[in-house]
Amino acid sequence: MSLMNKRLFANGFTGHYLLFVPLLVYLPLSFLYLFAVPAGESPDEPGHLQCIEQVSLLGRLPEIEPKPEGDAWWSRGRIISGRMCYHMPLYYLVAGGVQKVTATAVSEPIHYEFPPTNPNFGPDPALFEHPVKASLWTYTEPIHLLVLRFLSILLGGVTVWASYAVARRLLPGQQMVALLAGLLTAVWPQFVYLSRSLNNDSLATALSVSILVILLDVQQPQRFVWAALLAVLALFTKLSVAFTLAAMLLVWGLEFWRLPQQRREYIRTLLICLALFVGAFLLLYLTPTLWRHFTQGSGAFSSVSESAREWTYWREVLQLTASSGWVRFGWMNVAAPQGHAYVWWGFLLGTAVLGIWVIGRFSQGGNSRLQLLICGIWLLFIILSYLQINLNRLQPQFRFALAAIPILTTWSAAGWWGMVKGNGRLATLTTASIIAILFFYNIWVVFSVIKLAYPWW
């Protein structure tokens, strides 16, 4: 096993039993949201399901079929159409295969017909008229959709792992920081809610955060091959995460400049990476459907909205981003009080600023500055990608920035560790208190926010 593989295996999996704690917190919360939120009441879920069904039913790459019909974005002919199928298809291929195998095994029809559209949508948060359930724990969807939701939850677990793994790399030996970083991710309401929805963000985010973990294993030239492979897969999942490729190349350039004694090895790995990129481009260009997806997706957000020239527009983007980064469910119309979002972001960013100083001051070895720079590059590319989307249209949805979570939670956890460093009992009490509060906050969200929006249980 290569040095890179040994290090990834050792740092990420072997012996780090504490990783199971945030995963054991994450799983019941994700299942709670799974039962509480009805089918189709997640961003673009009906459209994504049409793309999945094209793979499982027709055995082909998804196309924009059926064509969107209707003027309003929420009209049934538009929302339940192939309008989302301009995206790159890797997620749909994976999910379609899982759906096909599951539906065949349990002898279920693959096609899922959404309930009637709610004629009062707007005043009512629900887009569909869902059947009444006997209780919260009554499951009404087909088994193959349940398995697809399990797949999404599994992919969400990669982000929980990545938060733990990023902390292990930035502050090696400080297990309490890694534990708290993983736990903060596991109880982040918006993240956990999205983790059970059917959309391509789940695979795109899992691939992206895995690349981040690899990039933070600095001074290991061969790791760029793995990062390049995952970046290609991310590109074939969703073009909005193409920043991972740019981030990888920029980090390669930084290390190539800083480590002249290893430049031959860095050049060798770059050539392998470039071969992967050329192969991916040829596959795109020589496959008409893939090339159509690529050109449609790359042009979807290229224009600039007139509204983007107004300060009030960006103030709304900022407010809704804060809300959608905390609790803004459904079709961005089921939200907790805005003040809750401000408290969360104040808590998270305030401790993160302190955490950056703590990492630079107390990290072992001479790589902490480079690792912090890599984190800064990563966040910068996410911000630029997010701004590009909102320059085109009002889409202040934090799901487009989920790949930032491992860095934010790690920096926040490091900040808390810096405040209680040297007092093990206080550190344990602080961690337990923060997580208990946020865990029960999720329970409150389900029974006080979601229950009012979808009163069918």
Side-chain angles (χ1 to χ4, degrees), residues 237 373 416:
T237 302
L373 181 57
W416 278 105

Side-chain angles (χ1 to χ4, degrees), residues 29-90:
L29 286 180
S30 60
F31 285 126
L32 179 62
Y33 284 110
L34 185 154
F35 282 98
V37 182
E41 303 295 345
S42 298
D44 298 324
E45 187 171 85
H48 287 298
L49 188 56
Q50 307 315 305
C51 309
I52 294 170
E53 287 187 359
Q54 288 189 48
V55 175
S56 56
L57 280 172
L58 305 177
R60 62 167 172 79
L61 292 174
E63 300 276 1
I64 303 180
E65 294 289 345
K67 301 293 184 184
E69 298 177 353
D71 296 327
W73 70 263
W74 61 85
S75 61
R76 192 174 184 88
R78 181 169 291 273
I79 208 72
I80 304 179
S81 70
R83 69 191 187 100
M84 303 306 301
C85 300
Y86 70 88
H87 283 297
M88 299 296 285
L90 182 58

Side-chain angles (χ1 to χ4, degrees), residues 182-202:
L183 285 169
L184 286 173
T185 302
V187 295
W188 193 322
Q190 190 75 18
F191 163 73
V192 183
Y193 153 74
L194 287 170
S195 72
R196 29 69 47 210
S197 66
L198 305 180
N199 61 64
N200 54 2
D201 292 308
S202 57

Side-chain angles (χ1 to χ4, degrees), residues 139-440:
Y139 183 76
T140 58
E141 297 176 21
I143 297 300
H144 59 79
L145 289 192
L146 177 63
V147 173
L148 287 181
R149 296 197 187 280
F150 286 167
L151 173 64
S152 295
I153 290 171
L154 178 64
L155 292 171
V158 175
T159 302
V160 178
W161 161 77
S163 301
Y164 184 92
V166 167
R168 293 287 297 175
R169 282 151 177 77
L170 293 182
L171 278 173
Q174 301 302 329
Q175 291 190 355
M176 287 301 295
V177 176
L179 175 63
L180 182 55
L183 285 169
L184 286 173
T185 302
V187 295
W188 193 322
Q190 190 75 18
F191 163 73
V192 183
Y193 153 74
L194 287 170
S195 72
R196 29 69 47 210
S197 66
L198 305 180
N199 61 64
N200 54 2
D201 292 308
S202 57
L203 179 58
T205 301
L207 290 169
S208 299
V209 297
S210 298
I211 294 169
L212 172 63
V213 173
I214 291 174
L215 291 181
L216 289 174
D217 270 319
V218 296
Q219 298 186 18
Q220 300 294 326
Q222 63 271 32
R223 80 190 193 280
F224 287 105
V225 177
W226 295 104
L229 178 60
L230 292 183
V232 168
L233 294 177
L235 181 71
F236 276 83
T237 302
K238 194 169 186 178
L239 291 181
S240 63
V241 295
F243 72 85
T244 58
L245 191 154
M248 187 212 80
L249 291 175
L250 183 53
V251 173
W252 179 92
L254 284 173
E255 292 192 21
F256 180 79
W257 174 70
R258 290 180 75 250
L259 301 169
Q261 70 278 12
Q262 290 183 269
R263 283 178 179 172
R264 180 173 296 181
E265 191 172 358
Y266 275 93
I267 291 174
R268 185 165 53 248
T269 58
L270 178 64
L271 292 176
I272 298 173
C273 293
L274 293 177
L276 284 172
F277 298 152
V278 171
F281 177 80
L282 289 175
L283 178 60
L284 280 175
Y285 187 73
L286 297 176
T287 309
T289 303
L290 287 177
W291 187 248
R292 193 157 53 247
H293 284 310
F294 179 75
T295 53
Q296 288 174 329
S298 57
F301 294 92
S302 58
S303 62
V304 177
S305 168
E306 286 294 327
S307 301
R309 306 178 193 278
E310 302 293 333
W311 159 245
T312 54
Y313 174 85
W314 291 106
R315 184 177 61 189
E316 185 178 7
V317 167
L318 186 61
Q319 291 174 338
L320 289 174
T321 299
S323 180
S324 70
W326 180 236
V327 174
R328 186 165 282 272
F329 299 162
W331 295 88
M332 291 284 288
N333 57 2
V334 179
Q338 186 74 9
H340 293 195
Y342 293 149
V343 169
W344 165 251
W345 285 107
F347 157 80
L348 188 77
L349 297 180
T351 52
V353 170
L354 176 60
I356 295 171
W357 178 83
V358 168
I359 293 168
R361 174 69 175 81
F362 294 101
S363 182
Q364 300 171 5
N367 293 324
S368 60
R369 289 185 179 179
L370 177 58
Q371 289 172 322
L372 284 173
L373 181 57
I374 291 171
C375 290
I377 291 170
W378 189 262
L379 292 180
L380 176 62
F381 277 115
I382 290 176
I383 292 170
L384 292 176
S385 175
Y386 193 81
L387 288 176
Q388 181 188 11
I389 293 171
N390 282 278
L391 277 169
N392 175 263
R393 67 191 75 170
L394 184 66
Q395 288 277 14
Q397 301 184 38
F398 190 70
R399 63 192 176 100
F400 299 127
L402 289 177
I405 285 180
I407 293 175
L408 296 177
T409 54
T410 292
W411 286 357
S412 176
W416 278 105
W417 177 77
M419 287 188 284
V420 299
K421 186 175 65 72
N423 190 328
R425 181 175 298 179
L426 180 59
T428 301
L429 180 61
T430 300
T431 299
S433 299
I434 292 171
I435 300 310
I437 291 170
L438 293 176
F439 183 90
F440 286 107

